[in-house]
Amino acid sequence: MLNKAIDSFKKEAETLFELGKHPQIPDLLAFFEQENRLYLVQECINGHDLFKELSQKNYFSEAEINQFLFSLLPVLHFVHQRKIIHRDIKPENIICRQDGVLILVDFGVSKQLTSSITTRIGTTTGTLGYAPPEQLRGRVYPASDLYALGITAIRLLTGCVPTQQNNAVVDEIYDSLEMEWTWQAYLEQQGREISPNLAQILVKLTHEKVKLRYQTAEDILQELNGIKKNVQGIVGTRQPLPLNPLPPPPLLLEPRSMMVAENRHFQGHALKDFAFEVVTVKMGHSRLEYTINKRESAYFTLDLWQKATLDMIAIPPGRYLRGSSDDELGSRHNERPEHWVEIPPFYRAHLRSLTGLKLS
């Protein structure tokens, strides 16, 4: 039984490692078994979840909802391309990092689909008030995640989240007798309105019947891109991420770090040189533009438990631009103004291999 659990655990870890290649999904740093206990070590995201942000601001504006969709849809496109269904999208599982980037977390209940089967029947997972009807019956599709994303957007837009009273779920924007969402009527009662285009997208995202919803994140992005020019302030100054994202621009390293000692050792570890390329990406007038520069640095290797190997890469000191501009959508006063910061030298760990899993 333990061996079966360990095998299942390793498969889940491999999935998490693959997903961690996306810049808006936490990296898997390590996984191991010790004293009959299984452990996962993931990247710590410094920020706050959207549920906490909603409780502070009461509701999100239409512009913020559009930016929310632009930010999360490429993540779901990436996940679904790898035959993974998240199954628990909600404000608590979306973290706004300190730099304003939204991070999708908690893939603990995610399911992997086989190449020949497009649904998976199993135990009920997800959260009431966000999960679609078919998921509560044990069946999931990529459109199930899109439904939950739509409901999350609606709850952020209205500020209404389900609550529990007398062992019953109370929801201000869902009519359980008619079995329909009433968020549009709720907005009217509050004297608020949104563009017909966004309303139409949210209605289709959250249709009760799976076949009548959007089937892919790409379909929604194409529709959003088609209307953004006609809606003032829809995305502010930020640009949507490409569907197949490039890795975040690495730090610009100067040749020969000051951390590389004359005797080619650091705290008893032999230092090795390596060459690499730095890719700098920026948004041009109509496409992504990038430049490539050759650099070199040094590293030493640490052997940990079992077959775990860490490469400790020397990162030199540097000067980097941080913070947000005054007109950046979703930015906060404590992030302004944009400013330069001096970063001292340090070593960054890169997990090379672990329990037989080769990491690239």
Side-chain angles (χ1 to χ4, degrees):
M1 181 67 72
L2 178 60
N3 289 336
K4 184 177 181 180
I6 292 175
D7 288 342
S8 176
F9 174 73
K10 286 183 177 179
K11 290 180 180 178
E12 179 183 348
E14 290 177 17
T15 298
L16 290 174
F17 172 75
E18 178 68 21
L19 292 176
K21 294 179 180 178
H22 193 285
Q24 290 174 266
I25 298 176
D27 284 334
L28 174 66
L29 302 179
F31 68 96
F32 57 95
E33 179 267 330
Q34 184 174 335
E35 298 179 354
N36 294 332
R37 293 180 181 273
L38 304 173
Y39 296 89
L40 286 173
V41 182
Q42 284 190 281
E43 175 189 6
C44 178
I45 306 300
N46 196 359
H48 61 271
D49 65 62
L50 293 191
F51 184 85
K52 181 177 181 180
E53 183 169 341
L54 180 63
S55 65
Q56 294 174 345
K57 64 196 303 183
N58 296 325
Y59 61 83
F60 283 50
S61 68
E62 177 176 354
E64 289 173 316
I65 295 302
N66 277 287
Q67 182 58 43
F68 166 82
L69 293 173
F70 267 125
S71 182
L72 268 298
L73 284 167
V75 185
L76 288 183
H77 177 82
F78 176 88
V79 171
H80 294 164
Q81 276 191 322
R82 284 151 182 79
K83 308 297 182 183
I84 303 294
I85 310 295
H86 185 281
R87 302 203 304 176
D88 198 21
I89 294 173
K90 56 185 178 181
E92 294 92 328
N93 285 340
I94 302 168
I95 296 179
C96 181
R97 206 167 58 193
Q98 284 190 332
D99 60 1
V101 175
L102 297 183
I103 309 296
L104 183 60
V105 303
D106 196 3
F107 282 82
V109 299
S110 64
K111 278 291 184 180
Q112 186 161 16
L113 306 179
T114 66
S115 58
S116 59
I117 302 176
T118 57
T119 65
R120 174 76 68 170
I121 299 176
T123 56
T124 300
T125 58
T127 302
L128 286 174
Y130 295 91
E134 71 276 4
Q135 184 171 329
L136 300 178
R137 299 185 181 97
R139 191 177 291 268
V140 291
Y141 310 80
S144 304
D145 276 350
L146 299 178
Y147 177 100
L149 183 74
I151 294 301
T152 299
I154 288 171
R155 295 203 180 282
L156 295 176
L157 181 66
T158 60
C160 296
V161 296
T163 58
Q164 193 165 10
Q165 297 178 11
N166 300 323
N167 296 322
V169 175
V170 177
D171 199 333
E172 289 184 84
I173 56 173
Y174 185 76
D175 187 332
S176 57
L177 292 178
E178 298 291 338
M179 296 187 68
E180 63 182 15
W181 293 100
T182 59
W183 60 272
Q184 289 174 287
Y186 177 87
L187 285 179
E188 290 180 6
Q189 293 172 3
Q190 301 297 314
R192 298 174 57 207
E193 61 179 22
I194 62 172
S195 67
N197 291 319
L198 177 59
Q200 181 179 347
I201 288 173
L202 293 177
V203 168
K204 187 172 179 179
L205 265 173
T206 57
H207 201 288
E208 184 177 7
K209 295 182 179 179
V210 179
K211 288 185 177 181
L212 297 182
R213 295 180 207 150
Y214 295 100
Q215 298 302 300
T216 69
E218 188 175 9
D219 292 340
I220 311 166
L221 279 169
Q222 288 176 349
E223 202 158 310
L224 282 170
N225 278 309
I227 66 173
K228 70 177 182 178
K229 295 180 180 179
N230 300 320
V231 182
Q232 185 177 3
I234 190 168
V235 295
T237 58
R238 290 183 182 174
Q239 297 290 338
L241 290 172
L243 287 178
N244 294 307
L246 293 167
L251 297 173
L252 292 176
L253 306 182
E254 295 299 328
R256 294 291 179 183
S257 167
M258 61 173 283
M259 301 174 67
V260 180
E262 290 295 330
N263 60 4
R264 309 299 299 152
H265 283 75
F266 178 80
Q267 296 184 356
H269 299 283
L271 290 167
K272 305 173 187 178
D273 293 321
F274 72 100
F276 59 95
E277 293 180 337
V278 174
V279 181
T280 304
V281 183
K282 66 178 182 178
M283 179 65 72
H285 293 295
S286 59
R287 60 187 177 87
L288 288 174
E289 299 175 352
Y290 64 92
T291 57
I292 300 177
N293 295 288
K294 295 186 181 298
R295 296 287 189 271
E296 62 179 28
S297 187
Y299 72 100
F300 64 87
T301 300
L302 291 176
D303 293 322
L304 304 180
W305 61 90
Q306 297 179 8
K307 297 181 180 179
T309 302
L310 284 179
D311 288 334
M312 304 299 295
I313 302 171
I315 307 296
R319 191 166 181 259
Y320 306 99
L321 185 64
R322 300 299 301 272
S324 303
S325 60
D326 291 339
D327 60 349
E328 183 174 345
L329 182 67
S331 64
R332 296 166 179 78
H333 65 86
N334 59 353
E335 298 174 355
R336 308 184 192 117
E338 285 185 306
H339 58 283
W340 291 95
V341 296
E342 300 289 339
I343 303 295
F346 64 97
Y347 278 91
R348 178 172 182 174
H350 172 72
L351 185 63
R352 180 146 49 95
S353 64
L354 183 61
T355 57
L357 177 64
K358 298 299 181 183
L359 307 182
S360 57

